[in-house]
Amino acid sequence: MEKLQSLRGMVDLLPQQTPLWQRIESTARRHFQRAAISEIRTPVLESTELFSRGIGEATDVVGKEMYTFMDRGDRSCTLRPEGTASVVRAAIQHGLLSQGPQRLWYSGPMFRYERPQAGRQRQFHQIGLEMLGFSDPRSDVEAIAVAWDLLADLGVEGLALELNSLGSGDDRARYRSKLVGWLTERREQLDPDSQERLQRNPLRILDSKIPATQAMLAEAPTLIEELSDESRSRFARVTDGLRLLGIPYTLNPRLVRGLDYYSHTAFEITSTQLGAQATVCGGGRYDGLVEQLGGPVTPAIGWALGLERLAILLAKAEAAPIEAAQIYVVSRGDRGELLALQVARQLRQVGYTIELDLTGAAFGKQFKRADRSGARWALVIGDDEAREGLVLMRDLRAGQAAGAEERLTVQQLLVHLSQAS
């Protein structure tokens, strides 16, 4: 029989990897709590219309990368390719916006059908922030600061912030017309993907990774030249706020975001630790999305960071070992094994990490596993100990030294452990 394997681009996270992921997630949760940002959890499966309306029919995500199928009710369903549209849909559906501005964060798997590579899989994971109902430029600064401080706290080195303004809808319409005219005159110099994007999504050409296209775009008109006085003033307040907080930034007039709903501030946080795939976090303002999805006019800003790429980066700087149990419980005999179950549960309930040997093997084999486990202590419980209501506590670090073993009641054991720790 052929051995079953995971689908291409759907990657298992093994026990050696999950401690690092848990550290990233717990650090993110702590930073969100400090900033009064509440968690929201949305389904991984949504109506396809949510993404075609929200992300844009002309984007590569909707046109080429979504996992879409018809369900048994003949409804078109899609595994979410990103988190923002789902959060906005939930906020509209449940009336959150009528309760005032919302500070929300999410985490979980997303799905895109693209060529798997290091740090980019078909099922990938994101942590994201969405601030709905905030129009003040200070909200842009705060959103960026939360991401910057989180990455710095995690130990990401070589951080750099790239910043651009995509302006208002009118600004982009003027720029789009000018850019299309400029690119059309040079159509033959564009790579095939950029030629395809010329009519349906020309701003995405600015984000091309093809060296020849990048070199040509160095002479292209920039969006910043088309910004209205109001958009320029708004962007200046964002950059002033970042300078006030001591967050360094670089203006990148070629920076665009890959989804249609972005406006005004767009940013990416990169790291020199990642080489060519430098982006760790990306986001921006999307003032028109809530209305586009059927809600009230609502300004908003958000960002997302990819956990796969971040884990690769952090794994280079640290080895995250599997946390060893503090106590390894060895037991034999019917009465001894039942008491071991009880003792292990009691110790876990008061906060100790316990590994209970469930093999029923001879004491010698269980002792060898206890030695290899990395635990500080072993508890030995046989039928004799069970009859007396005792456990044998062995200090695995003391070896055969005098006092390395003690016979204790469970109550004495708890006292001993509290004193030892």
Side-chain angles (χ1 to χ4, degrees), residues 182-184 186-196 198 205 213 216-217:
W182 190 89
L183 291 171
T184 300
R186 297 159 178 80
R187 180 182 175 85
E188 298 308 315
Q189 301 176 46
L190 294 172
D191 60 273
D193 280 348
S194 295
Q195 289 180 1
E196 182 184 344
L198 184 55
I205 297 175
T213 300
M216 185 189 73
L217 289 171

Side-chain angles (χ1 to χ4, degrees), residues 109-122:
M110 313 291 166
F111 302 84
R112 295 187 190 179
Y113 191 90
E114 55 184 342
R115 180 176 174 269
Q117 54 185 288
R120 179 175 293 178
Q121 302 296 336
R122 289 174 176 170

Side-chain angles (χ1 to χ4, degrees), residues 133-145:
F134 297 89
S135 61
D136 193 294
R138 289 178 300 165
S139 62
D140 303 30
V141 177
E142 180 167 69
I144 292 171

Side-chain angles (χ1 to χ4, degrees), residues 347-397:
L347 293 175
R348 288 168 182 157
Q349 287 176 331
V350 294
Y352 292 99
T353 305
I354 309 297
E355 182 172 351
L356 174 60
D357 195 308
L358 298 170
T359 63
F363 275 129
K365 290 184 177 180
Q366 293 190 54
F367 288 144
K368 288 180 181 178
R369 281 193 286 270
D371 289 334
R372 293 195 300 265
S373 71
R376 168 70 189 276
W377 296 286
L379 298 183
V380 185
I381 306 174
D383 283 343
D384 289 343
E385 286 78 16
R387 276 190 290 271
E388 298 176 38
L390 300 173
V391 298
L392 178 63
M393 182 179 184
R394 176 179 295 182
D395 188 337
L396 295 173
R397 296 180 188 175

Side-chain angles (χ1 to χ4, degrees), residues 171-228:
D171 297 337
R172 288 194 304 283
R174 288 193 302 272
Y175 177 62
R176 188 183 193 280
S177 177
K178 181 180 286 190
L179 180 65
V180 168
W182 190 89
L183 291 171
T184 300
E185 294 175 1
R186 297 159 178 80
R187 180 182 175 85
E188 298 308 315
Q189 301 176 46
L190 294 172
D191 60 273
D193 280 348
S194 295
Q195 289 180 1
E196 182 184 344
R197 288 172 171 162
L198 184 55
Q199 294 305 319
R200 63 185 183 88
N201 198 358
L203 266 63
R204 291 293 293 133
I205 297 175
L206 300 176
D207 200 33
S208 171
K209 300 299 186 289
I210 305 299
T213 300
Q214 287 181 327
M216 185 189 73
L217 289 171
E219 304 299 324
T222 62
L223 202 161
I224 203 84
E225 298 164 354
E226 300 300 322
L227 294 182
S228 66

